[in-house]
DNA sequence: TATAACTTTGTAATAATATAACGTAAGAAA
DNA sequence: TTTCTTACGTTATATTATTACAAAGTTATA
């Protein structure tokens, strides 16, 4: 699952680099606009890189925002157990790294006993700054 | 928060009706196609109804699928605490109604002590049928 | 080396999802 | 009635994402 940055392709590095430099989640077309000076001209080049980066856990997709954020959770070797807090006022997004929470959710069993291999949790509220 | 169906507008009823008849989440444009015989011709008519229905908790949006499902969780007076299980093979979606889970998540406090007023959780796996 | 197999890239076109803007009509409430 | 608000219909457009196909680069191995 984990993969070193050296293994990334050129386009993947370019896209990851710009996402890592952003404090906030970035939208695909904003990424596209920002990497055009580096030669990535068309949506598929960006989306292909995003797909791969999500797959290997370097970035996560914030589903409710259609945006992508770099993973800064060192414990997040698991790209398939993600949790975020989202401020509905300033749209600030933080990845939550709580081993208690991830343990609880990873062990969660529904009534039918279906076994999950992945989850995504998004919390919404108003952050301290916005209060 | 809770609202009776009688309070729904004509278009809202039409859209809710078709979603409730579907066992699975429906996409906005699939809904649009299906309600054209009832006079709803343009996307905004559908999206406006969807927005309202989500707001009052009659339906939920499955964010990772851009699709909408009727709420069948009678305990789900709270439209702002949702959890789903999604089969990645057949795309079957079920709303999870576990008071234990909802209590756990509603009480969850992150490190910064930000108070959440809403969450959405999506579990992914392979359902029994698909095993 | 060669040559096949595979991955990544570039590019154009298009599909799918969602909203803006504007005017009209209907309903509630004052 | 007048005012206020919500819903409606319509056109156009914005945003997000994928399909399809050819070219170039990489890796494996014969
Ligand atoms: Zn992470
Ligand atoms: Zn904020
Ligand atoms: Zn519900
Ligand atoms: Zn299934």
């Amino acid at each position: 699952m984990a993969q070193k940055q050296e293994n990334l392709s050129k386009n993947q590095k370019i896209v990851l680099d710009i996402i890592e430099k952003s404090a906030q989640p970035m939208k695909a077309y904003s990424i596209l606009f920002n990497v055009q000076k580096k030669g990535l001209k068309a949506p598929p080049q960006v989306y292909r890189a995003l797909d791969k980066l999500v797959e290997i856990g370097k970035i996560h997709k914030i589903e409710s925002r259609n945006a992508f954020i770099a993973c800064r959770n060192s414990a997040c070797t698991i790209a398939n157990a993600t949790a975020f807090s989202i401020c509905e006022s300033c749209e600030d997004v933080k990845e939550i790294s709580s081993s208690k929470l991830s343990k609880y959710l990873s062990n969660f069993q529904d009534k039918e006993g279906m076994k999950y291999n992945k989850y995504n949790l998004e919390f919404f509220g108003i952050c301290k700054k916005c209060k």
Side-chain angles (χ1 to χ4, degrees), chain A:
Chain A
M1 180 66 59
Q3 178 171 347
K4 284 172 193 154
Q5 179 143 1
E6 301 92 69
N7 297 337
L8 297 177
S9 78
K10 179 188 129 226
N11 288 359
Q12 288 158 13
K13 276 181 204 161
I14 291 172
V15 169
L16 176 58
D17 187 57
I18 191 152
I19 297 175
E20 283 182 336
K21 280 179 179 148
S22 168
Q24 289 312 305
M26 292 189 76
K27 302 243 177 186
Y29 275 71
S30 157
I31 293 166
L32 176 57
F33 177 81
N34 278 276
V35 298
Q36 278 177 337
K37 60 198 77 160
K38 304 227 175 175
L40 282 80
K41 296 184 208 156
Q45 296 174 294
V46 168
Y47 278 102
R48 283 191 290 233
L50 289 173
D51 287 349
K52 188 68 180 188
L53 292 169
V54 166
E55 187 192 326
I56 65 178
K58 285 286 188 184
I59 65 174
H60 304 301
K61 182 172 187 181
I62 311 298
E63 293 286 358
S64 66
R65 298 298 186 261
N66 296 317
F68 301 85
I69 194 173
C71 176
R72 295 191 171 88
N73 179 355
S74 60
C76 186
T77 39
I78 345 164
N80 28 16
T82 50
F84 304 94
S85 88
I86 302 171
C87 174
E88 290 183 300
S89 169
C90 68
E91 293 294 324
D92 183 71
V93 173
K94 282 201 173 50
E95 185 168 359
I96 295 172
S97 55
S98 157
S99 59
K100 230 179 142 184
L101 177 65
S102 63
K103 261 176 206 158
Y104 183 87
L105 292 175
S106 297
N107 292 328
F108 181 80
Q109 288 271 342
D110 73 355
K111 285 159 185 164
E112 284 89 27
M114 177 170 162
K115 181 68 186 158
Y116 305 119
N117 54 43
K118 197 166 118 188
Y119 70 77
N120 179 58
L121 170 60
E122 297 179 7
F123 283 106
F124 305 90
I126 304 294
C127 78
K128 278 187 175 174
K129 280 184 193 166
C130 291
K131 255 197 190 130

